[in-house]
Amino acid sequence: MTYLEPILALLSDTRSQFVAIVEEFPVDRWRKSPGNGSWSAGEIVAHTMQVEESIIAGARKTLKKPPYPVPFLKRFHLPLALATTRGRKFKSPIPIDANRIPERANYAAAIIACRRGTLDFIDEHRTENLKPWTFPHPAFGPLNLYDWFRLIAYHELRHAKQIREVAEIFHR
């Protein structure tokens, strides 16, 4: 589908940015929180993987049922790129699984495996039109599956910025 090529490019580009920022992060501070209830870089990486896996699980579940009509006005939402902004903090509905926090030396293998699951799912459904299938996002409302794939990329960029913020706190 024509929808997928720009999404796959976005996922690839944002992943490259995420990895570049993680690579700059001090290895000795990987599991250290900067305080004030903030996550460590390792926890942030675990969170991004858990959310990505949750989105794909939601997409799988959604595809098992017929699509439901979304009322006209609910089809409009704020631009998904707003998910990258760090001005407003959100409490994640998905708690960090401490067992999912990768060691700094292994984080790349962990995020590659996670993304492989996403890309495999997209590839499985490459010939289908996924636009009619939606499920709700707590801030953006009902999103179709293509929007959810984009949101994976924007979510990762949001947390790349957060990792950079954590690094800056440690450098003060």
Side-chain angles (χ1 to χ4, degrees):
M1 295 249 50
T2 58
Y3 289 114
L4 288 178
E5 298 319 313
I7 292 170
L8 293 170
L10 179 65
L11 286 166
S12 177
D13 291 347
T14 57
R15 172 51 59 88
S16 295
Q17 293 174 53
F18 185 78
V19 167
I21 289 169
V22 171
E23 287 294 319
E24 295 173 5
F25 196 85
V27 176
D28 62 325
R29 306 274 173 113
W30 181 251
R31 287 184 172 264
K32 292 183 181 160
S33 166
N36 297 330
S38 297
W39 288 338
S40 69
E43 289 170 319
I44 296 167
V45 169
H47 168 75
T48 62
M49 290 188 302
Q50 287 179 246
V51 167
E52 184 166 346
E53 291 165 352
S54 175
I55 289 170
I56 297 304
R60 283 190 193 287
K61 182 178 174 184
T62 297
L63 283 175
K64 289 181 179 177
K65 302 178 213 165
Y68 63 90
V70 175
F72 181 73
L73 291 177
K74 290 198 174 202
R75 293 180 202 163
F76 300 97
H77 51 76
L78 294 170
L80 296 177
L82 287 175
T84 65
T85 63
R86 295 276 307 141
R88 184 168 177 213
K89 308 282 190 224
F90 292 94
K91 179 149 176 59
S92 175
I94 303 170
I96 298 286
D97 179 349
N99 296 320
R100 297 295 312 277
I101 301 170
E103 292 302 323
R104 173 64 164 74
N106 303 344
Y107 91 90
I111 65 172
I112 288 169
C114 177
R115 182 56 51 87
R116 174 58 26 221
T118 298
L119 296 176
D120 287 349
F121 177 82
I122 290 171
D123 198 48
E124 280 174 47
H125 300 283
R126 181 175 286 281
T127 61
E128 301 167 48
N129 176 10
L130 302 177
K131 201 167 189 178
W133 280 270
T134 64
F135 63 100
H137 181 275
F140 291 105
L143 299 178
N144 69 52
L145 296 189
Y146 297 117
D147 287 337
W148 277 105
F149 300 152
R150 284 184 198 91
L151 193 63
I152 290 169
Y154 293 132
H155 180 258
E156 195 168 58
L157 275 183
R158 175 186 183 85
H159 289 295
K161 291 177 182 180
Q162 184 180 11
I163 290 171
R164 184 171 278 150
E165 290 168 10
V166 171
E168 288 170 3
I169 291 169
F170 285 134
H171 282 95
R172 289 185 195 153

